[in-house]
Amino acid sequence: DSGVTQTPKHLITATGQRVTLRCSPRSGDLSVYWYQQSLDQGLQFLIQYYNGEERAKGNILERFSAQQFPDLHSELNLSSLELGDSALYFCASSPWEAGDEQFFGPGTRLTVL
Amino acid sequence: GQQLNQSPQSMFIQEGEDVSMNCTSSSIFNTWLWYKQEPGEGPVLLIALYKAGELTSNGRLTAQFGITRKDSFLNISASIPSDVGIYFCAGRLSGSARQLTFGSGTQLTVLP
């Protein structure tokens, strides 16, 4: 158990809908990272927050957004969902702003029908 | 885009055998990490490397940070069934990169 929690574990929705994925980092960690893992794909970095502020952006679509709250939990919002958005979404946390050692949550499996 | 080449893509080995996998890049990395992912779970950090030439072990696992800073390898000795999973390399590019770049993974199957 990495100490990072993600909810929900599974999410099934329809095209065009909007969903919110939630992540709670390890106790004391200030950085939260979001990744997307599609079938047979590696991990694609989406976005990083550190202590409530956006710090780095990767291949995140404009339809996706995230935020980190004062209690350090983070939410990833996915809107106007398409079939191709079906994937595993992972959250990771680290204590530092430039955290090389990132600890991953169990992921949320999103299925868009 | 993908800047790490991880090989092999998959491996089938007999229990007890040693395993070697590697990641290479045309770019220089400041950090190399190796993760293992089992079905239905998130990646778990195995080893982190911070200096060129560094050799680090974690039980039966040994990883090295290449001298050129463009590659890294992971060895698993005396494989056991619970070694099954996908092994990912990851690295932080030299420069101002804030995020990790991940390899595409090596799927390891251990046959009894």
Side-chain angles (χ1 to χ4, degrees):
Chain A
D1 186 347
S2 66
V4 178
T5 60
Q6 289 187 249
T7 57
K9 192 164 178 62
H10 300 278
L11 196 50
I12 301 174
T13 188
T15 54
Q17 295 297 306
R18 172 190 169 94
V19 297
T20 297
L21 313 183
R22 183 188 168 103
C23 167
S24 292
R26 295 186 319 162
S27 177
D29 284 0
L30 299 179
S31 270
V32 169
Y33 307 80
W34 286 98
Y35 292 86
Q36 180 191 59
Q37 185 178 43
S38 302
L39 191 64
D40 296 330
Q41 294 288 317
L43 288 147
Q44 300 295 317
F45 169 72
L46 296 178
I47 197 165
Q48 176 204 0
Y49 277 81
Y50 174 77
N51 204 21
E53 296 189 4
E54 183 184 306
R55 275 292 183 261
K57 254 185 176 179
N59 300 319
I60 187 167
L61 300 172
E62 285 192 11
R63 300 183 285 109
F64 295 1
S65 65
Q67 54 184 331
Q68 186 179 27
F69 295 86
D71 67 352
L72 301 177
H73 91 271
S74 178
E75 292 180 355
L76 179 67
N77 300 297
L78 315 176
S79 61
S80 302
L81 285 167
E82 302 175 0
L83 296 178
D85 297 328
S86 295
L88 275 166
Y89 291 84
F90 288 104
C91 161
S93 75
S94 73
W96 310 282
E97 182 175 354
D100 288 331
E101 296 183 25
Q102 299 177 16
F103 298 88
F104 283 78
T108 293
R109 180 174 292 280
L110 173 66
T111 302
V112 182
L113 301 175
Chain B
Q2 192 63 266
Q3 300 183 61
L4 284 181
N5 301 306
Q6 187 170 351
S7 64
Q9 191 171 11
S10 62
M11 301 181 75
F12 292 81
I13 61 168
Q14 295 292 137
E15 184 176 354
E17 288 184 350
D18 296 344
V19 173
S20 185
M21 59 191 78
N22 68 83
C23 268
T24 62
S25 176
S26 58
S27 303
I28 292 175
F29 283 78
N30 285 339
T31 306
W32 286 98
L33 304 103
W34 286 91
Y35 285 86
K36 178 188 178 186
Q37 185 178 19
E38 298 185 21
E41 299 182 11
V44 174
L45 181 63
L46 300 173
I47 293 177
L49 303 157
Y50 294 99
K51 289 173 57 176
E54 181 180 354
L55 187 71
T56 297
S57 293
N58 178 4
R60 293 177 296 105
L61 279 60
T62 301
Q64 185 160 25
F65 192 139
I67 286 291
T68 65
R69 295 170 63 193
K70 295 182 179 181
D71 60 356
S72 176
F73 72 76
L74 175 71
N75 284 343
I76 305 174
S77 62
S79 59
I80 59 178
S82 62
D83 290 334
V84 165
I86 303 177
Y87 291 80
F88 289 99
C89 64
R92 182 180 300 280
L93 282 163
S94 177
S96 60
R98 290 181 177 273
Q99 65 264 32
L100 296 178
T101 300
F102 280 79
S104 55
T106 295
Q107 171 75 62
L108 178 64
T109 302
V110 180
L111 304 171

